[in-house]
Structure formats: structure tokens, C-alpha cells
């Protein structure tokens, strides 16, 4: 649940900043074209800024230790496996990192196919068999090769633009309705901003559902890609192992959409991952 809260909170923070700045600049619904331009600037700007700093954010928030020089055989095998898979799918070698966590999880992030990071938890590294870890790494490398980080950023930009634009259009309609036909005062500045904030919240939750839907589709595709790289039987074994492991810990929104394990205790409409059973069934 924390993961979904972080996803929604991140996007609402972007929308709140956009709302404040647009209010200061005097942007309103009287100019639809101007409103749409500002909505697109803030909607896509926030998403692409998040993408641009995704690797830095992952390293800071998750405590990722990038393997520059392997310290043991486990780390050497990890780097060599990612290098082999990256070569197979035709992308530049991603950075490989480990972070502390008893849950079995891994994620990929980064601004482009050739500037990415693959990180695994210590719980996964020491709690899975080699074939299962290989499949998890293939899943993350497939996310990178498929361009999923950029794809979901574009989708997030579109829905953010919709939220910013629609909230202010609806707030303008309410303001005009309150003012009436005769020149009334309308909602007033603070009441108008309050209505906009509530609409941002409601539309923002709807937007998160849309992004989560596309994220689930990309998960199936990454599973398929992993199956093509290492074999479906290894990917199925990895997913089966995840079912028996501890529940996934909270991950920042930018990383959670690309983690191998999405958890299973939240509403399906807000899940960034399909259920493990449905993923196993698809591979089978």
C-alpha cells in the first residue's frame, strides 16, 4: 500500500506545484489554448524531470551500491550475466547495483536504453537459485530493451496534462455557475484554488489507474522477453519463488513500476504489476 501511496503522492505533488505556479502566473480557463500549453509543459515537464534523475534517485533512496569492481563471485556472476543479456538484446551495458532488503525484488530504471541501472536486493541475491536470478535479471533487461521507462513517462505526461487541464476547466465551469448570469463574484480566489486542488486529487487518482494499467501490460511483455532470453521455465520458477518469499517492501514510484515483484495486497486497479499467478499462467 505504501508503494501505491508514493506513486499517487508523487504525481499529486507535481500537480500541486503546477497549480500554484499557474495561479501565480494568472493562468485560467479564459484561454483554453494557453491553459493547454501550460498543462502540457507541467504535465510532461514533471514526468521527464523524474525520468532524467531516476538513476540518481534510485541510488539515493534505495541505497544502491553500484558494482564497479566485483568483490566476490556472486557480484562477478551478476555483472557478467547482465552483460551477456544486454549484448543479446542490443543495448549498452547497464550499471549493476545491489541494495539492502530482505524482500526478493529487483528493478530497472534510467533515462534511456543505453543509460540504465539494474539493481537487485540482497534478499533476492541470496534467496534465489542462480537460474531464478538469471530470469529476474532478464526481466529487468527486457524492461530496458523495450524502452518501458520512456514509454511510461510519455503516458504519465499525457495523463498529467489531462489532469491539469481538466481540473481547471471543470473548476472554471463551477466558478461561472456560482457567479450566475448576473455578474456575481464566483468562488473567489481561495475557494477556486481549493476546488482545483480537490479536482487535481480526484483526477490524479484516475490518472494513476491508467498508468498502472499500462504498467501491467509492460510487465507481461517483460516476462515474455525474459522467457525468450533464458527460457519460460526459468521465469516461471522465479515467479513461483517470489510467491513464497516475504512481501515486497515499499519502493519509490519511479522504481516500483519496473520492479520484478509488485506485491498483492492492493486494489487491482492501482497495481503496477499483474498478480504473480496471472503472469505464470501467461508464460505457461
Amino acid at each position: 500500500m505504501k508503494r501505491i501511496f508514493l506513486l499517487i503522492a508523487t504525481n499529486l505533488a507535481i500537480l500541486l506545484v503546477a497549480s500554484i505556479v499557474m495561479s501565480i502566473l494568472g493562468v485560467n480557463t479564459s484561454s483554453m489554448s494557453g491553459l493547454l500549453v501550460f498543462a502540457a509543459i507541467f504535465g510532461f515537464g514533471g514526468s521527464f524531470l523524474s525520468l532524467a534523475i531516476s538513476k540518481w534517485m534510485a541510488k539515493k533512496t534505495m541505497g544502491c551500491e553500484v558494482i564497479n569492481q566485483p568483490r566476490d563471485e556472486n557480484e562477478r556472476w551478476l555483472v557478467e550475466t547482465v552483460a551477456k543479456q544486454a549484448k543479446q538484446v542490443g543495448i549498452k551495458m547497464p550499471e549493476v547495483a545491489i541494495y539492502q532488503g530482505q524482500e526478493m525484488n529487483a528493478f530497472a530504471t534510467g533515462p534511456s536504453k543505453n543509460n540504465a541501472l539494474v539493481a537487485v536486493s540482497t534478499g533476492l541475491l541470496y534467496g534465489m537459485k542462480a537460474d531464478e536470478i538469471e530470469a529476474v535479471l532478464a526481466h529487468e533487461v527486457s524492461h530496458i530493451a523495450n524502452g518501458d521507462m520512456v514509454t511510461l513517462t510519455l503516458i504519465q505526461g499525457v495523463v498529467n496534462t489531462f489532469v491539469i487541464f481538466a481540473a481547471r476547466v471543470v473548476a472554471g465551469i463551477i466558478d461561472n455557475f456560482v457567479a450566475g448570469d448576473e455578474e456575481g463574484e464566483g468562488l473567489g480566489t481561495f475557494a477556486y484554488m481549493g476546488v482545483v486542488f480537490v479536482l487535481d486529487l480526484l483526477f490524479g487518482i484516475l490518472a494513476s489507474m491508467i498508468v498502472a494499467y499500462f504498467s501491467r501490460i509492460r510487465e507481461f511483455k517483460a516476462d515474455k522477453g525474459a522467457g525468450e532470453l533464458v527460457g519460460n521455465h526459468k521465469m516461471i520458477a522465479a515467479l513461483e519463488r517470489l510467491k513464497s518469499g516475504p512481501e515486497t517492501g515499499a519502493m519509490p514510484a519511479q522504481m516500483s513500476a519496473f520492479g520484478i515483484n509488485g506485491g498483492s495486497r492492493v486494489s487491482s486497479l492501482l497495481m503496477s504489476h499483474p498478480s504473480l499467478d496471472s503472469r505464470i499462467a501467461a508464460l505457461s
Side-chain angles (χ1 to χ4, degrees):
M1 194 65 180
K2 291 180 181 178
R3 182 169 48 256
I4 301 304
F5 171 77
L6 287 170
L7 176 65
I8 296 173
T10 299
N11 289 297
L12 291 181
I14 294 172
L15 297 175
L16 179 59
V17 171
S19 177
I20 294 172
V21 173
M22 291 171 73
S23 295
I24 292 174
L25 296 177
V27 180
N28 54 50
T29 57
S30 61
S31 173
M32 290 295 180
S33 59
L35 175 62
L36 184 58
V37 169
F38 272 87
I41 289 173
F42 284 103
F44 282 94
S47 295
F48 277 100
L49 175 61
S50 179
L51 178 66
I53 65 173
S54 58
K55 280 176 61 176
W56 174 85
M57 183 181 295
K59 294 173 184 178
K60 294 295 183 182
T61 59
M62 301 298 293
C64 295
E65 296 182 25
V66 176
I67 304 174
N68 295 313
Q69 185 66 40
R71 295 168 293 187
D72 54 36
E73 284 303 316
N74 282 334
E75 291 188 0
R76 182 174 290 103
W77 177 84
L78 202 63
V79 172
E80 289 176 353
T81 301
V82 172
K84 176 185 175 182
Q85 293 175 354
K87 184 176 181 180
Q88 285 179 274
V89 298
I91 61 173
K92 186 177 178 180
M93 173 66 179
E95 288 186 279
V96 181
I98 298 174
Y99 66 94
Q100 297 295 319
Q102 69 174 5
E103 77 282 354
M104 290 186 287
N105 211 343
F107 66 85
T109 192
S112 71
K113 294 182 181 181
N114 294 316
N115 183 15
L117 169 75
V118 173
V120 301
S121 68
T122 52
L124 183 142
L125 185 60
Y126 299 109
M128 279 188 165
K129 298 177 181 178
D131 283 354
E132 295 164 350
I133 299 173
E134 183 185 8
V136 170
L137 294 174
H139 174 95
E140 301 307 334
V141 168
S142 294
H143 268 311
I144 299 170
N146 293 338
D148 287 343
M149 287 82 77
V150 174
T151 298
L152 286 187
T153 295
L154 289 171
I155 293 171
Q156 187 68 68
V158 170
V159 297
N160 281 350
T161 299
F162 163 77
V163 170
I164 294 170
F165 182 79
R168 281 146 192 82
V169 169
V170 173
I173 293 173
I174 294 173
D175 185 49
N176 290 334
F177 178 79
V178 171
D181 294 332
E182 303 179 3
E183 306 199 359
E185 296 182 358
L187 290 171
T189 302
F190 291 107
Y192 174 82
M193 291 181 65
V195 170
V196 167
F197 178 77
V198 171
L199 291 171
D200 278 339
L201 176 64
L202 295 176
F203 290 148
I205 293 173
L206 175 62
S208 295
M209 292 180 183
I210 295 171
V211 175
Y213 167 75
F214 283 101
S215 176
R216 293 193 295 272
I217 293 176
R218 306 308 291 183
E219 284 303 310
F220 284 120
K221 189 171 182 179
D223 283 345
K224 181 181 178 182
E228 292 171 352
L229 282 173
V230 302
N232 280 357
H233 64 289
K234 290 184 180 181
M235 192 66 229
I236 290 173
L239 294 172
E240 289 285 3
R241 177 75 65 173
L242 289 174
K243 289 175 64 176
S244 63
E247 185 178 356
T248 302
M251 296 173 66
Q254 185 66 33
M255 278 68 77
S256 65
F258 305 106
I260 183 66
N261 190 349
S264 60
R265 295 186 178 180
V266 293
S267 167
S268 59
L269 290 177
L270 285 173
M271 286 176 65
S272 62
H273 289 57
S275 69
L276 292 173
D277 286 334
S278 66
R279 293 167 66 183
I280 291 170
L283 287 169
S284 299

